[in-house]
Amino acid sequence: MKVVNHKTPSIDGLGIIKGRKAYTDDYAEKDSLIVKVLRSPHAFAKIISIDDSKAKKLDGIEMVLTHKDFKRIPFTRAGQGYPEPSPHDKFVLDEFVRYIGDEVLAVVGVSNEVCEKALNLIDVKYEVFEPILDYEKAKNHHTIIHPEEEIHQMFDIGFNPKANIAASYHMEIGDVEKSLSECTYTIHETFYTQAQAHVMLEPHTVNARMDYQNRLVIYSSTQTPFHVRRIIGHALEIPMSKIRVIKPRVGGGFGGKQAIHGEMLVAYVTFKTGKACKMTYTRKEVFESSYTRHPMRLEMRLGADKNKKLKVIDCHVLSDTGAYGEHALTVYMVAGSKVLPLYNKVDSVRFYGDVVYTNHTPAGAYRGYGAIQGNFALESAIDILCKKMEIDPIEFRQKNMMKENETSPIFAIMGEGTEGTAMMMDTCKLEECVIKGKELIGWDNIYPYHDNGEYIESVGMAIAMQGSGIPLIDMGSASIKLNDDGFYNLMVGATEIGQGSDTVLSQIAAEVLMTDVEKVIIYSSDTDLTPFDVGAYASSTTFVSGNAVYKAAKELKNEMLKEAARIFNTDISNIDFDGQIFTYNEKEMSLKDFSNQITYSHEQKQLQVTSSYVGPKSPPPFMAGFVKIAVDKDTFEIRVLDYVSVVDCGTTINPMLAKRQVDGAIVQGLGMAMFEEVKYSKNGRLISNDLLNYKIPTRLDIENLNTVFVDSYEESGPFGAKSVGEIGIDTPPAALANAVENALGVRVKSLPITPEKIMKLMKEKSNEKK
């Protein structure tokens, strides 16, 4: 391979460095109207009255929008395929507000200043209700967060709003209770994961205008432009043919932009007034009024026989979706479907529980998407079981984990919101990942710990798997056009959000067409001009969209060979092509001459193909993560000395970008493991709503990252590739918890793992000895 599996620089990096227009707000029309939102000061209340008379009299205020301006059409903001596996429980504006930061009304004016002034002149009276701020008390609570009758599910997801349940699920293979009763070793532990904020650098931003054909054109910093078009068309009753959504460069998403946020109000204002307008979230609004990761309580029961073989996994999960049920079921199911198959030799598996409403900031998609929560619980529980059995945790995993050419019945049962699809692990290099990682971290020299005087050094590890898109649901498409002079346009609906997908997809096309990346000019994510793609989520882009690009490039090459054969007056089988020259016997024709002939002078035609891909499988990438830490004996502060990631993601289309994906995900995972936490006051107000009070990892927090890839080739992927976008984030919480126990003999079961929690456990341990 000459292009794929090479460290091609990002195709857009230089332009961005030079300050070229790239991001959504760069494309806002000058003098756009500004949309600002008045947000709820109460965790749960009903709007009794709104006095906006003073605000409307202000010079420069175009309009004030309240729930009375909108038809009551429920929808979900979740950017997912249709029918959505999330309840339709949101209105553009509603008479109820369900968390502090929820939308009360919107003002539209000529500047930020006049809008802010108008917001301060509006008097809203509320009937305040008792909120639910503890998700363990939400189910069947006397407060009902969604009493409205219009809300509904698109298909059965266990939706029961009268019990504050957004979704529920139950599956069982074998007989869990019987299997547990037959085990020699059992454990029963409960783990808690917290809400986490995305903290992408670019805030949520959108602008809109009407074009000369009187169509609504929306520029949005979104991961899912086609879903945005569909949801806006549904909720505002605007024909989709009248809507065009363009996604410029996105400054980070991590799942937080897999949803509608400001798009609905901006679309409404522009469509109603005909005037351009825009909305950009403040950082405070990003924290308080977009999404967090779903907090979860995960109860794990494991059982093993006398030979130390894992025989049963029982997992009961309670998830907090906050005020709305976006991604409620799917995130919850991924906590099982992308985690439990890791140990596929068990007799019985059960996964069940509920996703409940609370009066917290809504939870939604976030890199790892449930798998990080499930992995923390399972991989922590595995180490606890190993301690009880007095077996090396690596030896136990090697005996019980998934291997190549094996499968799990869970694949066929659990998908993301629906049934899954059965599949074999045609590639699974997890064994190599574990062996390599153990060597690189120096496990045998340190495990379980090494007392260094002031510090205790120790190691911990965890294994993980993810997916590569959602089989039989996620669809990607690509169009490729040959231009005169012999270069190509590649049009994809796949969404570049900073992960490098434009570069990776261009590399795939260039490899097939035997040309350079510079000869492939890519356009991504314009609902008018590029073919459909579900968007950037579920680790789907390289595998799903990449397969579409691969197919399209192959088809275009075949069309070019057919045309060359016609020009040479021979059969296509007689034509050779090396990417630059067509050859027939002694005759040669350059690609440049060929493309110019068919464009200008010889039975002219435009060569262009469109191809789509939706696959029957979602081959998981696998990873072994190893952490080496130093724990201060007095303060219990943790220093991450080294994190070794050994990854099987099939062929790395671009090894440099793949490494950056894994490194970035490891840092985010360590942030969740060590200190990131969305915190609320007693009345439900978010107090971690700025970058002073919400800490994310920096270079100072992690001393060394060591990411390597094992040789692997997935036949179903483009040039052997699987996904790499999410797998890195899954292992840090469990690996760190395991390392802390190896160092100190105490187990932290709730994230983040802070010195305060460790100190408390050490005191309890000390008291037990007395």
Side-chain angles (χ1 to χ4, degrees):
M1 291 182 281
K2 296 181 178 177
V3 182
V4 161
N5 201 225
H6 290 270
K7 297 179 180 179
T8 301
S10 296
I11 60 173
D12 52 6
L14 187 60
I16 289 172
I17 289 171
K18 289 183 174 180
R20 310 283 195 232
K21 278 187 175 182
Y23 296 93
T24 294
D25 202 49
D26 294 336
Y27 294 97
E29 285 202 352
K30 187 182 178 185
D31 299 326
S32 291
L33 291 172
I34 305 296
V35 181
K36 298 289 287 184
V37 172
L38 182 69
R39 299 190 178 277
S40 172
H42 303 293
F44 191 26
K46 183 177 182 181
I47 298 168
I48 302 302
S49 66
I50 297 173
D51 181 358
D52 56 8
S53 55
K54 293 179 183 175
K56 285 181 173 175
K57 290 176 184 174
L58 279 179
D59 286 341
I61 288 297
E62 183 85 9
M63 62 173 68
V64 177
L65 297 171
T66 73
H67 62 275
K68 294 179 181 177
D69 293 295
F70 296 93
K71 189 175 175 181
R72 285 184 65 78
I73 300 174
F75 64 96
T76 176
R77 294 181 298 184
Q80 298 176 292
Y82 187 84
E84 297 102 342
S86 294
H88 284 206
D89 58 6
K90 182 81 174 69
F91 301 92
V92 178
L93 292 172
D94 195 3
E95 59 183 335
F96 287 92
V97 286
R98 298 179 173 83
Y99 66 99
I100 294 176
D102 203 355
E103 297 153 332
V104 176
L105 54 82
V107 297
V108 183
V110 298
S111 68
N112 271 311
E113 290 73 22
V114 74
C115 287
E116 294 286 356
K117 192 173 181 181
L119 289 177
N120 290 325
L121 294 174
I122 295 174
D123 182 29
V124 183
K125 294 193 181 335
Y126 301 91
E127 180 184 2
V128 179
F129 305 126
E130 178 189 351
I132 303 174
L133 301 174
D134 180 349
Y135 71 96
E136 293 186 281
K137 298 176 181 175
K139 186 176 178 180
N140 296 318
H141 194 282
H142 59 266
T143 292
I144 299 174
I145 294 174
H146 282 279
E148 61 274 25
E149 295 298 326
E150 301 95 330
I151 62 174
H152 59 269
Q153 56 189 348
M154 296 293 284
F155 54 89
D156 185 16
I157 60 170
F159 182 55
N160 184 5
K162 297 297 186 289
N164 291 320
I165 294 175
S168 61
Y169 179 77
H170 183 117
M171 81 89 180
E172 183 169 357
I173 299 169
D175 187 331
V176 165
E177 298 300 334
K178 182 173 182 294
S179 295
L180 279 169
S181 69
E182 294 169 352
C183 286
T184 307
Y185 305 96
T186 61
I187 64 158
H188 184 176
E189 303 285 351
T190 301
F191 303 89
Y192 289 87
T193 64
Q194 80 281 35
Q196 184 184 19
H198 299 80
V199 201
M200 69 290 283
L201 289 181
E202 182 199 28
H204 302 272
T205 184
V206 56
N207 62 75
R209 70 197 64 172
M210 299 301 293
D211 71 6
Y212 70 97
Q213 297 182 57
N214 204 35
R215 295 174 74 241
L216 176 64
V217 180
I218 301 167
Y219 287 79
S220 172
S221 178
T222 178
Q223 296 175 226
T224 55
F226 286 91
H227 296 331
V228 168
R229 181 179 65 173
R230 186 191 70 245
I231 295 168
I232 287 175
H234 164 73
L236 298 181
E237 295 187 310
I238 301 173
M240 282 173 59
S241 61
K242 293 287 186 184
I243 304 172
R244 176 184 179 187
V245 178
I246 300 170
K247 176 219 66 72
R249 188 66 151 74
V250 173
F254 310 121
K257 294 174 180 171
Q258 192 193 334
I260 289 275
H261 290 289
E263 289 90 344
M264 198 66 74
L265 290 169
V266 166
Y268 178 83
V269 172
T270 294
F271 197 71
K272 189 173 179 64
T273 66
K275 298 179 181 178
C277 75
K278 70 174 191 175
M279 181 176 180
T280 300
Y281 276 34
T282 63
R283 182 58 64 182
K284 184 169 180 278
E285 286 180 308
V286 173
F287 275 112
E288 292 184 349
S289 306
S290 61
Y291 277 166
T292 72
R293 187 186 294 287
H294 289 78
M296 290 186 188
R297 183 191 72 198
L298 304 104
E299 243 180 298
M300 303 294 301
R301 292 198 298 170
L302 304 183
D305 66 13
K306 62 181 181 182
N307 296 316
K308 300 176 182 176
K309 283 197 169 181
L310 190 65
K311 304 302 287 185
V312 55
I313 304 174
D314 187 26
C315 184
H316 178 219
V317 179
L318 181 67
S319 175
D320 178 3
T321 190
Y324 300 100
E326 294 113 349
H327 301 271
L329 178 69
T330 43
V331 167
Y332 168 84
M333 290 186 71
V334 169
S337 63
K338 297 285 194 295
V339 177
L340 303 183
L342 270 173
Y343 298 95
N344 61 331
K345 297 162 186 66
V346 295
D347 295 334
S348 304
V349 183
R350 180 164 60 188
F351 182 87
Y352 64 111
D354 301 302
V355 187
V356 294
Y357 287 113
T358 64
N359 295 108
H360 282 154
T361 298
Y366 195 139
R367 193 182 206 171
Y369 203 78
I372 186 171
Q373 294 98 317
N375 190 277
F376 168 62
L378 179 62
E379 285 295 279
S380 295
I382 289 289
D383 259 41
I384 293 171
L385 181 65
C386 289
K387 296 277 183 196
K388 190 169 187 175
M389 295 189 297
E390 298 180 341
I391 183 175
D392 183 289
I394 292 180
E395 179 188 342
F396 179 82
R397 285 179 171 86
Q398 288 172 321
K399 184 186 289 189
N400 291 282
M401 67 191 187
M402 177 77 78
K403 295 184 173 60
E404 199 156 83
N405 297 317
E406 294 182 351
T407 187
S408 164
I410 296 173
F411 292 132
I413 296 172
M414 292 183 71
E416 290 190 28
T418 59
E419 288 185 1
T421 55
M423 57 181 175
M424 292 291 292
M425 298 299 95
D426 296 324
T427 53
C428 174
K429 306 298 183 186
L430 192 51
E431 286 180 285
E432 292 179 40
C433 293
V434 170
I435 293 168
K436 186 72 173 175
K438 182 179 178 182
E439 174 192 336
L440 290 174
I441 203 74
W443 183 273
D444 290 336
N445 297 327
I446 303 175
Y447 178 78
Y449 69 91
H450 176 69
D451 194 332
N452 215 7
E454 188 178 354
Y455 294 93
I456 295 178
E457 288 186 358
S458 74
V459 287
M461 62 87 65
I463 57 175
M465 57 177 285
Q466 263 286 347
S468 299
I470 307 172
L472 303 178
I473 292 179
D474 283 351
M475 192 268 273
S477 306
S479 298
I480 305 183
K481 174 167 70 85
L482 173 67
N483 296 292
D484 50 326
D485 208 41
F487 71 99
Y488 306 90
N489 285 128
L490 171 61
M491 282 75 73
V492 294
T495 309
E496 164 75 63
I497 58 172
Q499 82 280 41
S501 65
D502 280 358
T503 302
V504 164
L505 296 178
S506 298
Q507 285 182 263
I508 292 171
E511 185 72 46
V512 175
L513 293 165
M514 300 177 288
T515 187
D516 301 325
V517 170
E518 291 76 16
K519 292 288 182 67
V520 179
I521 314 302
I522 188 169
Y523 293 91
S524 59
S525 305
D526 178 329
T527 57
D528 267 12
L529 304 181
T530 60
F532 180 86
D533 189 289
V534 292
Y537 60 84
S539 293
S540 63
T541 303
T542 298
F543 184 77
V544 176
S545 306
N547 262 323
V549 170
Y550 180 83
K551 286 178 64 181
K554 294 268 285 189
E555 290 171 16
L556 179 63
K557 188 165 74 173
N558 193 55
E559 289 298 310
M560 292 163 61
L561 290 170
K562 281 199 290 188
E563 288 303 316
R566 182 176 59 80
I567 292 171
F568 283 127
N569 195 26
T570 185
D571 188 81
I572 187 173
S573 60
N574 297 324
I575 302 295
D576 289 325
F577 178 55
D578 66 0
Q580 292 300 317
I581 305 292
F582 294 93
T583 306
Y584 167 55
N585 288 337
E586 301 299 320
K587 300 177 183 177
E588 290 187 346
M589 176 173 54
S590 70
L591 174 61
K592 180 175 182 176
D593 287 344
F594 168 78
S595 58
N596 286 338
Q597 278 195 52
I598 64 170
T599 302
Y600 297 113
S601 61
H602 192 93
E603 297 186 24
Q604 294 102 310
K605 63 175 61 176
Q606 175 64 63
L607 291 188
Q608 178 171 354
V609 300
T610 297
S611 189
S612 302
Y613 177 84
V614 55
K617 63 185 293 190
S618 174
F622 293 91
M623 175 179 162
F626 292 77
V627 66
K628 178 181 175 183
I629 63 172
V631 186
D632 188 295
K633 284 181 170 181
D634 296 322
T635 66
F636 302 112
E637 289 177 292
I638 301 170
R639 285 172 53 207
V640 176
L641 305 177
D642 195 6
Y643 204 100
V644 171
S645 308
V646 187
V647 181
D648 163 19
C649 62
T651 301
T652 52
I653 301 297
N654 187 320
M656 178 175 65
L657 294 178
K659 182 179 186 305
R660 289 177 183 171
Q661 283 271 43
V662 176
D663 287 351
I666 292 294
V667 171
Q668 277 187 313
L670 284 170
M672 181 173 173
M674 296 175 70
F675 39 69
E676 287 190 52
E677 187 172 18
V678 171
K679 294 180 178 176
Y680 295 91
S681 67
K682 289 181 179 177
N683 68 350
R685 181 178 297 280
L686 197 69
I687 54 179
S688 54
N689 58 6
D690 57 44
L691 291 173
L692 286 176
N693 292 296
Y694 190 89
K695 177 178 167 58
I696 58 174
T698 69
R699 186 65 185 144
L700 298 175
D701 298 301
I702 299 149
E703 298 187 21
N704 189 48
L705 296 176
N706 187 5
T707 295
V708 298
F709 301 94
V710 296
D711 288 337
S712 176
Y713 191 94
E714 169 61 39
E715 287 289 345
S716 64
F719 295 107
K722 298 189 281 188
S723 80
V724 74
E726 294 181 279
I727 183 69
I729 200 170
D730 292 339
T731 59
L736 188 72
N738 294 339
V740 168
E741 179 163 27
N742 291 336
L744 303 170
V746 296
R747 168 63 58 173
V748 182
K749 299 173 190 170
S750 66
L751 298 177
I753 300 169
T754 61
E756 292 83 1
K757 290 179 182 175
I758 296 172
M759 182 172 290
K760 184 181 176 186
L761 290 169
M762 293 298 289
K763 285 184 177 176
E764 290 173 0
K765 181 182 173 185
S766 176
N767 291 336
E768 286 173 8
K769 287 182 178 176
K770 294 175 184 175

